[in-house]
Amino acid sequence: MYGKSAVKQKETARYKPHVKKGDSVVVLSGKDRGKKGRVLRVLATKGKAIVEKVNFTKKHTKPNPGKNVKGGILERESPINVAKLQVICPSCNEPARLGSHRNEDGDAVRFCRNCKADLNK
Ligand SMILES: [Zn+2]
């Protein structure tokens, strides 16, 4: 049976998201399908990213006069699974599948499989 020996999911599992902060991406599925935005933050351990204007959720806030906070509904971006995102290549302006290769310094460089241009610059 399960119980004590149940395998814990490691929160620290190292994903290697194909998206990076500052990338332009398009959303492939979900309610924001087709939306484009810039990656604001990548949550690598969760395999998620926060994308500008994508996956807005409403958050109700209480007024707090001491901190000069007005009550109301705040809309904020929520993290979205990186698997739902596709990077838009800055060279050919198309949503692109990415590959990676190593440059002369041994660093992994992502490149666009459409036009073969490198993305990290
Ligand atoms: Zn390209």
Side-chain angles (χ1 to χ4, degrees):
M1 299 303 250
Y2 296 101
K4 271 184 189 171
S5 59
V7 181
K8 265 192 189 173
Q9 272 246 298
K10 275 190 184 172
E11 190 66 54
T12 49
R14 282 192 64 182
Y15 289 92
K16 206 132 196 266
H18 60 290
V19 298
K20 286 192 175 180
K21 188 178 167 184
D23 283 346
S24 290
V25 292
V26 60
V27 181
L28 299 175
S29 62
K31 70 179 170 77
D32 287 322
R33 184 173 161 177
K35 274 196 189 172
K36 291 172 186 174
R38 205 163 261 277
V39 177
L40 301 175
R41 217 177 135 199
V42 176
L43 309 163
T45 54
K46 293 195 167 86
K48 291 184 173 183
I50 295 173
V51 183
E52 194 181 41
K53 295 182 193 122
V54 167
N55 207 18
F56 260 85
T57 50
K58 285 177 182 167
K59 209 177 159 184
H60 296 259
T61 52
K62 280 185 182 173
N64 185 341
K67 285 182 182 170
N68 199 22
V69 173
K70 280 183 188 171
I73 300 165
L74 199 74
E75 287 194 81
R76 288 230 56 182
E77 287 101 347
S78 292
I80 186 168
N81 201 314
V82 293
K84 291 183 180 176
L85 302 175
Q86 189 161 33
V87 176
I88 299 171
C89 168
S91 300
C92 61
N93 238 343
E94 295 282 336
R97 291 197 163 270
L98 304 180
S100 88
H101 65 88
R102 298 205 174 264
N103 65 10
E104 304 83 48
D105 300 326
D107 298 323
V109 178
R110 297 176 305 158
F111 70 94
C112 165
R113 286 194 196 272
N114 290 341
C115 67
K116 311 293 179 202
D118 288 347
L119 263 76
N120 307 6
K121 273 170 196 166

